[in-house]
Amino acid sequence: MTHAGASDPGLNQSPPFVDIDLFGSDRPLRDAVIANGARDDIDALGQLGRHWGRADMAELARLADIHVPRLEGDIVIYHPAYHRFMAESMAAGLHNLTWTNAGAAAGPPSEVARAARFYMVAQVENGHMCPVTMTRAAVAALGASPDLLVRVMPKIQTRTYDPAFRSWTGKSAITLGMGMTERQGGSDVRTNTTRAHRDGDIYRIDGDKWFMSAPMSDAFLVLAQAAGGLTCFFMPRFRPDGGVNGLHLLKLKDKLGNRSNASAEVEFRNAYAIRVGEEGRGIRTILQMVQLTRLDCAISSAGIMRAALARAVHHARHRAVFQRKLIDQPVMRNVLADLALDAEAALAAVMRLCRSFDLAATDALEAARARVLTPVIKYWVCKTAPAFVYEAMECLGGNGYVEDYALARLYREAPVNAIWEGSGNVMALDLLRAMRSGEDIHHVIRALADEANDCPGAAEEIGRIERLLASSDLEIHARRLIESLALIAATAALRNSGSGIAAIFSQSRLNGGIGCRNYGAAPLAAVASQVLERALPD
Ligand SMILES: Cc1cc2nc3c(=O)[nH]c(=O)nc-3n(C[C@H](O)[C@H](O)[C@H](O)COP(=O)(O)OP(=O)(O)OC[C@H]3O[C@@H](n4cnc5c(N)ncnc54)[C@H](O)[C@@H]3O)c2cc1C
């Protein structure tokens, strides 16, 4: 079992961190949920938090991680723990809440409600969340082919999980994957060489993909070059005549983390596919889908940070060194409070961004916020997580480095969200692209400035952003710009959740802040109790 066996509280070891109420023990989450319009969901979130925080779920996560999927012919065999997580997440609606709640009322908080669930699940097991997020996001691209969407949707709207290897048309529930990345280019999908040939109403596809995760999905959205240019296709595992489609799994990648999830190198030979959207409009067709997967990367990284922080605080409350509990040692207290500030800021930022997604259909400013701030928040939260988890791991000393505890797995997991769905530079460039394509970034910045205006350093940071925007060579400053915007967006989001944390965060981060790259340098002694009690009640 996770964090058991070797640990004996009688020997100055912290007790196992299991049977946790993931919602009830997380005050920042509760505040963010309420601030972003999902108050009515609190009871359901509490139930989910208690369920996913159970000791047996932690044990299943450990098993899913060590019993990695294996390839047998064109079939991937997963450990039962992986299937259990798929069934649990689909029962909770993580793959479809966006689509089943939409339109229920004016501005339904479906993204916020889903994000709160996704964030808690990310604290337990991350690998299975890849097909869950791809399934929900693929719906956005399928919107370009309404006839196909109508056929697919009933099988996504259910909350069951059906892992059987047979045609999607005969199944009660399906999952969807994505095949974009090729050997010669992932960020630059225009270099795709996979070819699509028209054959009456359908297409035949030949080529390969260098990464295609969750290869047992029932169908994939695939980019390929058709006569009219790069085009999006729906490629099922089975042809309509019932035969297995020409989609062959060559190899499963041996990955640093995300090990319960399979990621394959694949080959297409005369593979049957249906076009999604127009020929030559492939990138446009997948744009909204990619926004959603990027949002999920940020939510998931916020969850990983939370999981690491909670374990670090828990350990420090129980472990004594030099006759004092770690949590009472001034240096450690500073480190933990500093970590807690970033964890709460990351959560507040992603939840406020989800609110923008909820309101985008009826509010132009919120739509602009969603477009501009998705790469910003994805960049900042996902890139903050690895260093954050490393510091939290160190709080546990040697135990942090050992696989009996969750920190080692979280550490291996943390970098992937920054790499896939648009790596750091690509996010910084995507922000510039959003500006060039007419998004009113100044309007968004003015809104953020208003929301953060009385926080220390906010006015100076906004001034810095305006100067960067006026620069003649913006690309050189793209990372500086995206970092500054993220810090302002996080400050504004913390103000929005009304916790009193915003000013503490901005003081140590905005306008150069304390100026140190590692955690623990900000002078937080006066506020540490407030910050840590919010993070995890004693
Ligand atoms: C575990 C895992 C699972 C994956 N699953 C899938 C999947 O299911 N489907 C799928 O399609 N793909 C998948 N991918 C691929 C992933 O999306 C790509 O690896 C990612 O988009 C980066 O592409 P690349 O590897 O080709 O790197 P490159 O595009 O070569 O990028 C390398 C580096 O260059 C930077 N860079 C790129 N362009 C610029 C520029 N103009 N200026 C400055 N810097 C730049 C990037 O930020 C990056 O740091 C997966 C990857 C991983 C690790």
Side-chain angles (χ1 to χ4, degrees), residues 182 192 194-196 205 209 222-226 229-233:
E182 296 186 5
N192 276 191
T194 294
R195 305 221 65 90
I205 298 193
K209 295 289 170 185
V222 167
L223 284 180
Q225 302 286 358
L230 195 64
T231 306
C232 181
F233 294 94

Short mmCIF file of all heavy atoms in Angstrom, two decimals, residues 182 192 194-196 205 209 222-226 229-233:
data_model
loop_
_atom_site.label_atom_id
_atom_site.label_comp_id
_atom_site.label_asym_id
_atom_site.label_seq_id
_atom_site.Cartn_x
_atom_site.Cartn_y
_atom_site.Cartn_z
N GLU A 182 3.83 13.56 -35.81
CA GLU A 182 4.62 12.62 -36.62
C GLU A 182 6.09 12.76 -36.26
O GLU A 182 6.49 13.71 -35.59
CB GLU A 182 4.37 12.86 -38.11
CG GLU A 182 2.91 12.59 -38.46
CD GLU A 182 2.60 12.66 -39.95
OE1 GLU A 182 3.54 12.85 -40.76
OE2 GLU A 182 1.41 12.53 -40.29
N ASN A 192 3.22 17.30 -41.49
CA ASN A 192 2.65 15.93 -41.58
C ASN A 192 2.78 15.40 -43.00
O ASN A 192 2.47 16.12 -43.96
CB ASN A 192 1.16 15.94 -41.20
CG ASN A 192 0.92 15.84 -39.69
OD1 ASN A 192 -0.19 15.64 -39.25
ND2 ASN A 192 1.96 15.99 -38.90
N THR A 194 1.57 12.03 -43.61
CA THR A 194 0.51 11.01 -43.75
C THR A 194 -0.50 11.50 -44.80
O THR A 194 -0.92 12.66 -44.77
CB THR A 194 -0.16 10.79 -42.38
OG1 THR A 194 0.80 10.20 -41.51
CG2 THR A 194 -1.36 9.88 -42.49
N ARG A 195 -0.85 10.59 -45.72
CA ARG A 195 -1.67 11.02 -46.87
C ARG A 195 -3.07 10.41 -46.82
O ARG A 195 -3.25 9.28 -46.37
CB ARG A 195 -1.00 10.60 -48.19
CG ARG A 195 0.43 11.10 -48.34
CD ARG A 195 0.72 11.58 -49.74
NE ARG A 195 -0.04 12.76 -50.12
CZ ARG A 195 0.37 14.02 -49.92
NH1 ARG A 195 1.51 14.27 -49.31
NH2 ARG A 195 -0.39 15.02 -50.32
N ALA A 196 -4.02 11.20 -47.29
CA ALA A 196 -5.42 10.74 -47.35
C ALA A 196 -5.89 10.79 -48.81
O ALA A 196 -5.73 11.82 -49.47
CB ALA A 196 -6.29 11.64 -46.49
N ILE A 205 -6.27 6.16 -45.72
CA ILE A 205 -5.11 6.88 -45.16
C ILE A 205 -3.90 5.97 -45.04
O ILE A 205 -4.01 4.82 -44.57
CB ILE A 205 -5.48 7.51 -43.79
CG1 ILE A 205 -6.61 8.52 -44.04
CG2 ILE A 205 -4.29 8.13 -43.12
CD1 ILE A 205 -6.91 9.46 -42.92
N LYS A 209 2.20 7.75 -37.29
CA LYS A 209 2.20 8.76 -36.22
C LYS A 209 3.23 8.33 -35.18
O LYS A 209 3.32 7.14 -34.82
CB LYS A 209 0.81 8.88 -35.58
CG LYS A 209 -0.27 9.41 -36.55
CD LYS A 209 -0.09 10.88 -36.88
CE LYS A 209 -1.00 11.32 -38.02
NZ LYS A 209 -0.75 12.72 -38.42
N VAL A 222 -7.47 12.20 -36.64
CA VAL A 222 -6.15 12.10 -37.25
C VAL A 222 -5.97 13.22 -38.26
O VAL A 222 -6.91 13.54 -39.00
CB VAL A 222 -6.04 10.72 -37.97
CG1 VAL A 222 -4.84 10.67 -38.88
CG2 VAL A 222 -5.99 9.60 -36.94
N LEU A 223 -4.78 13.83 -38.29
CA LEU A 223 -4.48 14.81 -39.32
C LEU A 223 -3.74 14.13 -40.46
O LEU A 223 -2.80 13.34 -40.22
CB LEU A 223 -3.60 15.94 -38.76
CG LEU A 223 -4.29 16.98 -37.87
CD1 LEU A 223 -3.27 18.02 -37.40
CD2 LEU A 223 -5.46 17.67 -38.58
N ALA A 224 -4.14 14.42 -41.67
CA ALA A 224 -3.45 13.85 -42.84
C ALA A 224 -3.59 14.83 -44.01
O ALA A 224 -4.51 15.65 -44.05
CB ALA A 224 -4.04 12.49 -43.19
N GLN A 225 -2.65 14.69 -44.95
CA GLN A 225 -2.65 15.57 -46.12
C GLN A 225 -3.60 15.00 -47.17
O GLN A 225 -3.38 13.91 -47.70
CB GLN A 225 -1.24 15.66 -46.73
CG GLN A 225 -0.16 16.17 -45.79
CD GLN A 225 -0.24 17.68 -45.54
OE1 GLN A 225 -1.10 18.37 -46.10
NE2 GLN A 225 0.64 18.18 -44.68
N ALA A 226 -4.66 15.73 -47.46
CA ALA A 226 -5.57 15.36 -48.55
C ALA A 226 -5.24 16.25 -49.76
O ALA A 226 -4.33 17.10 -49.68
CB ALA A 226 -7.01 15.55 -48.11
N GLY A 229 -5.13 19.82 -48.88
CA GLY A 229 -4.26 20.25 -47.79
C GLY A 229 -4.53 19.48 -46.50
O GLY A 229 -5.27 18.48 -46.50
N LEU A 230 -3.92 19.95 -45.40
CA LEU A 230 -4.01 19.23 -44.12
C LEU A 230 -5.47 19.19 -43.64
O LEU A 230 -6.13 20.24 -43.54
CB LEU A 230 -3.13 19.92 -43.08
CG LEU A 230 -2.84 19.12 -41.82
CD1 LEU A 230 -2.04 17.86 -42.14
CD2 LEU A 230 -2.06 19.97 -40.80
N THR A 231 -5.94 17.98 -43.35
CA THR A 231 -7.37 17.78 -43.07
C THR A 231 -7.53 16.88 -41.84
O THR A 231 -6.67 16.04 -41.56
CB THR A 231 -8.03 17.10 -44.31
OG1 THR A 231 -7.74 17.90 -45.46
CG2 THR A 231 -9.54 16.96 -44.14
N CYS A 232 -8.62 17.07 -41.12
CA CYS A 232 -8.90 16.25 -39.94
C CYS A 232 -9.82 15.08 -40.34
O CYS A 232 -10.76 15.26 -41.11
CB CYS A 232 -9.59 17.13 -38.89
SG CYS A 232 -9.96 16.25 -37.36
N PHE A 233 -9.52 13.89 -39.80
CA PHE A 233 -10.30 12.69 -40.12
C PHE A 233 -10.69 11.96 -38.84
O PHE A 233 -9.99 12.03 -37.83
CB PHE A 233 -9.49 11.73 -40.99
CG PHE A 233 -9.20 12.29 -42.36
CD1 PHE A 233 -8.01 12.97 -42.60
CD2 PHE A 233 -10.11 12.15 -43.39
CE1 PHE A 233 -7.75 13.52 -43.85
CE2 PHE A 233 -9.85 12.69 -44.65
CZ PHE A 233 -8.67 13.38 -44.87
#
